[in-house]
Amino acid sequence: MDPRDLRERLRRLQEPQGYFFNRDEARTLELLEGLLVNVDRYGYMSCPCRLASGDRDRDADIICPCAYREADVREYGSCYCGLYVSREWNEERVPRVYVPERRPPERFSA
Amino acid sequence: MTSGPVKLYALSTCGHCRAAKRLLDALAVAYDVTDVDLLEGEERASAVAEVRRLNPRCSFPTLVVGEEVVVGYREDEIRRVLGVAP
């Protein structure tokens, strides 16, 4: 699968839930490529912007879409990576800020 | 302009890390980069321990400029620690 195929597959699931891909296509494809690298590497779609442990149970909260996406998109209009955003974020109707890491440090294990 | 060696801890798959690399390249800053996700075994453990020491969340990118640490792709902060005007 290439990043464009992955985008189309995910879009059908995510857009009806209110999650859109970042309109910056280069950025989006780069992140989707990272997800595919992680599928090859770990066997699951671990977040490309976080260091995975390689243990699916320990990484469960950072398998994309991660457990923090909902709160991040609600608060900032964008997930931590900038892959999934709200419609308003894409339309530049909300300020664009660097989304801080919401994952509790104690969840990190590498 | 810079105040000490520049070291970037990054992930090869991460968009913010790529943005940080692009910024450093565009500013022609000499830097050393470690893509921690590409390391294995002892090398990886040692890099993770160092990033955790600098940034307890162990998030990426973590940029070290001399004594200063910038966590995340915060362009203004990165420019400030590098002493490069926006």
Side-chain angles (χ1 to χ4, degrees), chain A residues 27 30-31 33-35 37-38 41-42 47-54 79-82 98-106 108-110, chain B residues 10-19 22 35-39 44-45 47-49 51-52 56-61 71-75:
Chain A
R27 181 64 181 267
E30 187 175 89
L31 290 165
E33 177 66 42
L35 285 175
V37 167
N38 283 347
R41 196 184 277 167
Y42 306 114
C47 173
C49 301
R50 294 175 167 115
L51 185 62
S53 70
C79 75
Y80 176 59
C81 278
Y98 189 86
V99 178
E101 172 62 297
R102 189 182 293 271
R103 188 186 202 201
E106 60 274 15
F108 175 83
S109 58
Chain B
L11 300 178
S12 66
T13 52
C14 159
H16 300 304
C17 299
R18 289 186 188 180
R22 283 194 286 260
D35 282 319
V36 179
D37 60 319
L38 300 181
L39 302 178
R44 176 179 159 116
V48 166
V51 179
R52 289 188 104 154
R57 281 186 179 269
C58 202
S59 58
F60 298 89
V71 174
Y73 180 67
R74 300 173 196 272
E75 184 175 342

Side-chain angles (χ1 to χ4, degrees), chain B residues 18 24 33-35 42 58-59 69 75 77 79:
Chain B
R18 289 186 188 180
L24 295 174
V33 59
T34 299
D35 282 319
E42 194 46 48
C58 202
S59 58
V69 178
E75 184 175 342
E77 261 311 282
R79 286 176 178 273

Side-chain angles (χ1 to χ4, degrees), chain A residues 35 42-47 50-69 103-104 106-109:
Chain A
L35 285 175
Y42 306 114
Y44 46 90
M45 223 160 59
S46 193
C47 173
R50 294 175 167 115
L51 185 62
S53 70
D55 178 313
R56 185 190 284 264
D57 291 338
R58 288 195 293 168
D59 293 337
D61 61 321
I62 56 166
I63 295 177
C64 187
C66 72
Y68 312 102
R69 179 183 70 163
R103 188 186 202 201
E106 60 274 15
R107 288 298 304 262
F108 175 83
S109 58

Side-chain angles (χ1 to χ4, degrees), chain A:
Chain A
M1 192 184 315
D2 75 12
R4 286 186 166 78
D5 296 331
L6 181 61
R7 181 177 57 182
E8 292 321 304
R9 183 181 291 201
L10 293 172
R11 193 198 301 276
R12 289 196 292 273
L13 299 169
Q14 300 301 332
E15 286 195 354
Q17 300 178 54
Y19 297 104
F20 298 84
F21 286 116
N22 190 329
R23 195 178 268 177
D24 178 341
E25 188 177 33
R27 181 64 181 267
T28 292
L29 292 174
E30 187 175 89
L31 290 165
L32 290 167
E33 177 66 42
L35 285 175
L36 293 171
V37 167
N38 283 347
V39 169
D40 275 350
R41 196 184 277 167
Y42 306 114
Y44 46 90
M45 223 160 59
S46 193
C47 173
C49 301
R50 294 175 167 115
L51 185 62
S53 70
D55 178 313
R56 185 190 284 264
D57 291 338
R58 288 195 293 168
D59 293 337
D61 61 321
I62 56 166
I63 295 177
C64 187
C66 72
Y68 312 102
R69 179 183 70 163
E70 183 184 348
D72 283 341
V73 173
R74 193 184 328 118
E75 184 168 353
Y76 304 107
S78 167
C79 75
Y80 176 59
C81 278
L83 177 64
Y84 287 112
V85 302
S86 65
R87 188 190 298 276
E88 292 74 20
W89 191 94
N90 260 340
E91 292 172 355
E92 299 186 47
R93 288 194 279 129
V94 292
R96 296 193 173 187
V97 298
Y98 189 86
V99 178
E101 172 62 297
R102 189 182 293 271
R103 188 186 202 201
E106 60 274 15
R107 288 298 304 262
F108 175 83
S109 58

